Amino acid sequence: MSVADPGGHVQLLRVQNFAVSQDGFGAGRGQSFERPFGHADPQTMLSWAGATASWPNRTDPGGSRGIDDYFTRDYARNIGAEIMGRNKFSPHRGPWENHDWQGWWGDEPPFHTPVFVLTHHERPSFSLSDTTFHFLNADPQTALERAKQAARGQDVRLGGGAHTIREFLDADLIDTLHVAVAPVELGAGSRLWESPDELLDRYHRDVVPSPTGVTHHLFWRR
Amino acid sequence: MSVADPGGHVQLLRVQNFAVSQDGFGAGRGQSFERPFGHADPQTMLSWAGATASWPNRTDPGGSRGIDDYFTRDYARNIGAEIMGRNKFSPHRGPWENHDWQGWWGDEPPFHTPVFVLTHHERPSFSLSDTTFHFLNADPQTALERAKQAARGQDVRLGGGAHTIREFLDADLIDTLHVAVAPVELGAGSRLWESPDELLDRYHRDVVPSPTGVTHHLFWRR
């Protein structure tokens, strides 16, 4: 499932820093502009990452350089493109009323690469700083081929949400996953898994508890 | 203790992947050409690293991508120079009889940056592939200034051995340390510490056990 670039390196599809609740939800019910994670509290899901020195959105100096920081600093390493689902890009559903919405991230999105947004409703590509958003109505395999081409030999990050990661898991296209299980139960929402053990037939796994309360699950192919 | 480059980034001095025994020794007694780690078995100290996908000396494909791999893949990230003690560079002691010895690493040393070897016996610089070795008779502070200059805004790695790391700890020059404690007792040799707790007055610490048997200690400044 891995493509070698002309230099002989392998291009991986990687899930990085994806946060889920103890009961397996990547976001809560009822995503909206005001609540991008639905009824889930983004602070509870992501405070472990925000506290690290390498958090991409960090504005003040400082931050921890312990185990959690290894994960945030790995977020951009050797990544040449991202694939995300439309629900990560936008709270809108159905056809675009207009093209005013340009994502949640302001003028400096934290991706710094081409980003491929999977949607049934395509629209023209646009750039914000060094991030370019493309809109693709494609199956996972086709989207991955496009993203690998755009990544020019580097890896591709699969950004989520949970539904999109499920589709790529079902198509057996993901090489490595880092999922941070947060110490909270959501009860409902967008589900990644019933249990992380579901993946053990196809993946090795290391489980790494952090002092901040999250438990990092690291999967790589058997 | 950190120098900001013109772009406002901070240059860190980092210890990476330094392996010690349970009782705190970085190498055994009696280093020689045949036994670079003295009576310590390098396999016991470093097999956790050699098993990872990102181990710099890996020749076959494959390897693990779990928690240990986060440490080997971080080895070169944003590193622009290394400082090492003479005993890491060579088994010789005293004045150089000649300059035939060019390190343990063959024609392709795994550093790919300038390397500053601390020694009372200077000799001319030389290059092997994209690594250049310089020989410096200098105190830690002066050596660090030279290395930071050579690193052009990137961080500096402190490569060891234990005696050299001790000198830089005593001079309070190290910003982060990653030390892998291997499941073995050596009884004697080159000592890094009596206990990792010695550093807790100056550093935060995360302790991360790996399924491979080593325990990673991650220190960053308070």
Side-chain angles (χ1 to χ4, degrees):
Chain A
M1 285 305 172
S2 296
V3 172
D5 74 10
H9 293 94
V10 169
Q11 279 184 287
L12 304 178
L13 181 62
R14 296 156 47 192
V15 173
Q16 305 267 146
N17 294 4
F18 191 73
V20 303
S21 62
Q22 297 264 4
D23 48 353
F25 296 101
R29 268 179 295 100
Q31 186 197 36
S32 66
F33 177 69
E34 292 75 21
R35 298 204 58 97
F37 292 87
H39 80 286
D41 175 4
Q43 182 62 19
T44 313
M45 303 284 277
L46 291 171
S47 59
W48 67 271
T52 64
S54 305
W55 177 238
N57 303 328
R58 171 169 288 282
T59 47
D60 53 328
S64 69
R65 296 183 185 275
I67 185 61
D68 291 335
D69 196 52
Y70 277 79
F71 298 106
T72 52
R73 80 169 70 129
D74 202 54
Y75 178 76
R77 183 195 53 81
N78 198 40
I79 291 290
E82 164 150 336
I83 297 169
M84 66 172 66
R86 176 177 173 174
N87 293 3
K88 174 169 172 180
F89 175 75
S90 156
H92 306 92
R93 301 292 180 266
W96 302 101
E97 290 176 22
N98 56 56
H99 297 159
D100 293 349
W101 179 264
Q102 298 199 307
W104 306 91
W105 304 280
D107 294 340
E108 278 281 352
F111 307 108
H112 312 292
T113 65
V115 171
F116 294 87
V117 180
L118 297 180
T119 172
H120 296 299
H121 304 281
E122 296 190 335
R123 51 179 265 195
S125 302
F126 68 91
S127 296
L128 287 172
S129 182
D130 54 358
T131 298
T132 300
F133 292 92
H134 303 286
F135 297 84
L136 268 186
N137 186 357
D139 62 84
Q141 176 72 56
T142 307
L144 180 56
E145 281 165 19
R146 280 285 304 276
K148 281 189 171 173
Q149 212 163 20
R152 298 167 170 270
Q154 292 191 293
D155 294 343
V156 176
R157 183 174 49 232
L158 184 58
H163 178 74
T164 302
I165 295 176
R166 278 290 0 151
E167 286 187 324
F168 281 77
L169 276 174
D170 293 346
D172 201 25
L173 294 172
I174 303 178
D175 295 298
T176 66
L177 297 94
H178 160 229
V179 179
V181 179
V184 61
E185 305 250 337
L186 288 179
S190 173
R191 186 182 278 289
L192 178 63
W193 55 39
E194 296 281 340
S195 155
D197 296 352
E198 290 165 17
L199 304 187
L200 295 184
D201 57 336
R202 289 188 280 158
Y203 293 93
H204 298 279
R205 177 184 54 173
D206 282 350
V207 177
V208 182
S210 163
T212 50
V214 295
T215 303
H216 301 283
H217 289 249
L218 311 173
F219 298 90
W220 70 104
R221 282 187 190 279
R222 290 193 172 276
Chain B
M1 284 305 170
S2 296
V3 173
D5 73 10
H9 294 95
V10 170
Q11 279 184 287
L12 304 177
L13 181 62
R14 295 157 46 192
V15 173
Q16 305 267 144
N17 295 2
F18 191 74
V20 303
S21 62
Q22 297 265 5
D23 49 352
F25 297 101
R29 267 178 296 101
Q31 187 198 37
S32 66
F33 175 69
E34 292 76 20
R35 299 205 55 98
F37 293 87
H39 81 286
D41 176 5
Q43 182 62 19
T44 314
M45 303 284 278
L46 291 172
S47 60
W48 67 271
T52 63
S54 305
W55 177 239
N57 302 329
R58 171 169 289 280
T59 48
D60 54 327
S64 69
R65 297 184 184 275
I67 185 61
D68 292 335
D69 196 52
Y70 277 79
F71 297 106
T72 52
R73 79 171 71 130
D74 203 53
Y75 178 76
R77 183 195 53 80
N78 198 39
I79 290 290
E82 164 150 337
I83 298 170
M84 66 171 67
R86 176 176 174 174
N87 293 3
K88 174 169 172 181
F89 175 75
S90 156
H92 306 93
R93 301 292 180 267
W96 302 99
E97 290 176 21
N98 57 55
H99 297 160
D100 294 349
W101 180 264
Q102 298 199 306
W104 307 92
W105 304 280
D107 293 340
E108 278 281 353
F111 308 108
H112 313 294
T113 65
V115 171
F116 295 87
V117 180
L118 296 180
T119 172
H120 296 299
H121 304 281
E122 296 189 337
R123 51 179 265 193
S125 304
F126 68 91
S127 295
L128 287 173
S129 180
D130 53 358
T131 297
T132 300
F133 292 92
H134 303 286
F135 298 83
L136 269 188
N137 187 357
D139 63 82
Q141 177 71 56
T142 307
L144 181 55
E145 281 164 19
R146 281 286 304 276
K148 281 189 170 172
Q149 212 162 20
R152 297 168 170 269
Q154 293 191 292
D155 294 343
V156 176
R157 183 175 49 232
L158 184 59
H163 178 74
T164 301
I165 295 175
R166 278 292 357 152
E167 286 187 326
F168 281 77
L169 276 175
D170 294 345
D172 201 25
L173 294 172
I174 303 179
D175 295 297
T176 67
L177 297 94
H178 160 229
V179 179
V181 179
V184 61
E185 304 250 336
L186 288 178
S190 174
R191 186 182 280 288
L192 178 63
W193 55 39
E194 296 281 340
S195 156
D197 297 351
E198 290 165 17
L199 304 187
L200 295 185
D201 56 337
R202 288 188 280 156
Y203 293 92
H204 299 279
R205 177 184 54 173
D206 282 351
V207 177
V208 182
S210 163
T212 51
V214 296
T215 302
H216 302 283
H217 289 248
L218 312 175
F219 299 89
W220 69 104
R221 283 186 190 280
R222 290 190 172 277

